[in-house]
Amino acid sequence: MATLARLQARSGFVGNQYYFRNSVVDAFRKKENHAAVKIQSWFRGCQVRAYIRHLHRIATIIQKWWRGYLGRKHYQLLVEVAYYTMKMDLYNAMAVRIQRRWRAYKVRKYCFNYFCFKEYLQAVSEANDTIREVLQEFAEIQESEEKKAKLEREEKQREKEARKMHHLLSTKQIPGIYNSPFRKEPDPWELQLQKAKPLVSRRRRVGPKPSAGLANWLACTSARSFPQSDILPPIDRKPCQGPFRNISEVLEQRYKPLEPTLRVAQPVDEIKRAREEFRRQEWVRNITDKMFLPFSSYHKKEKYMPSMLSSSKYDPSSCGKQDFRSEDPRKWICDKDFQTVLPSFDLFSKYGKLYSKAGQIV
């Protein structure tokens, strides 16, 4: 009992000591914690740096071995290419030597053989002589034909001249100029004029005059209609003296085409025509003539018919009826589910709730 009484008496002192010691420990706890964290960070940093250095050494060793392997492979490839090139060069040199020997033998045997060459030259000379004879005969025949054609042309020309000068022929009363009484014999042209026929001038063929019918009379195209005057030839007169412009320049200025302004050239209803043309082109480009009026009360019960370009084999009529992000496993091509690479954006799913009317973030 005495001991319990002593302990009860000392309970207050023990509590004070416990509180004091805990307060002292709390004062130094933060400092000790910072010191421990610093020591641990330094030690862990040393550990990580040592491990990174070890990894660098290992990576360097791996790279060294791998690069050595690649270098040896590349060197082996270079050696194989050099060996193959050297072998091909040797084969080419041997082939060139064989070809050289064979060509030399062939040239000495067949090309530059004296007796064969002599026979060849003799055959060439005989062929040349034959060709020269044929060409000479052809030239003589052509020359004779040209002379014959020339004589025929001269004969036709003399006959034409004789026909033109037939009026110079002698008559019983008056001798011609080629039949002079002072000559013993008449001139050869006199005989030519006696053989030739006189040249008669051709008359113009007068065709039937066009008859003037009732249709031509009504159409004013006949001779009884208004006369049509031909274009008069230009008058060759001297240019006027003085500061006058050239006639061609004056006519060009007088009959130049009209150059209207933009206001005169464009019609008054240009805007109306352009709008009609725009409507016509828009109607031609439309795939369907049915207008798209999904929000009108009159077409509210009608089913929307999408165009052929927007339809597909997966869902041809899904536009405007269901969400684009909806899934239908029955229409999937494969049995596995689709894997989402990126998560969905919460901002897009909450569109209209996080923004104000002015477009600014609340």
Side-chain angles (χ1 to χ4, degrees), residues 265-280:
Q266 297 296 332
V268 180
D269 55 345
E270 180 66 21
I271 299 176
K272 185 177 179 181
R273 294 183 182 179
R275 289 174 179 173
E276 291 178 356
E277 182 65 23
F278 180 74
R279 292 194 195 97
R280 193 181 301 108

Side-chain angles (χ1 to χ4, degrees), residues 237-256:
R237 58 183 181 180
K238 297 181 180 179
C240 299
Q241 296 181 0
F244 300 106
R245 299 172 64 181
N246 194 7
I247 298 176
S248 60
E249 188 178 355
V250 174
L251 293 177
E252 183 181 358
Q253 182 70 20
R254 178 179 297 179
Y255 298 111
K256 69 177 182 179

Side-chain angles (χ1 to χ4, degrees), residues 291-352:
M291 297 180 64
F292 176 62
L293 299 172
F295 303 107
S296 61
S297 59
Y298 181 75
H299 300 276
K300 183 167 59 178
K301 297 182 180 180
E302 294 185 5
K303 185 179 179 180
Y304 172 66
M305 299 296 294
S307 63
M308 293 185 297
L309 303 177
S310 62
S311 62
S312 62
K313 63 179 181 179
Y314 302 106
D315 195 359
S317 61
S318 62
C319 180
K321 289 189 176 182
Q322 59 182 355
D323 191 4
F324 286 102
R325 301 179 69 177
S326 62
E327 298 178 355
D328 191 358
R330 295 175 299 177
K331 297 183 179 180
W332 290 354
I333 301 176
C334 58
D335 299 333
K336 297 181 180 180
D337 297 342
F338 291 105
Q339 295 181 0
T340 305
V341 181
L342 296 175
S344 60
F345 295 94
D346 297 335
L347 183 62
F348 295 160
S349 61
K350 298 179 181 179
Y351 182 75

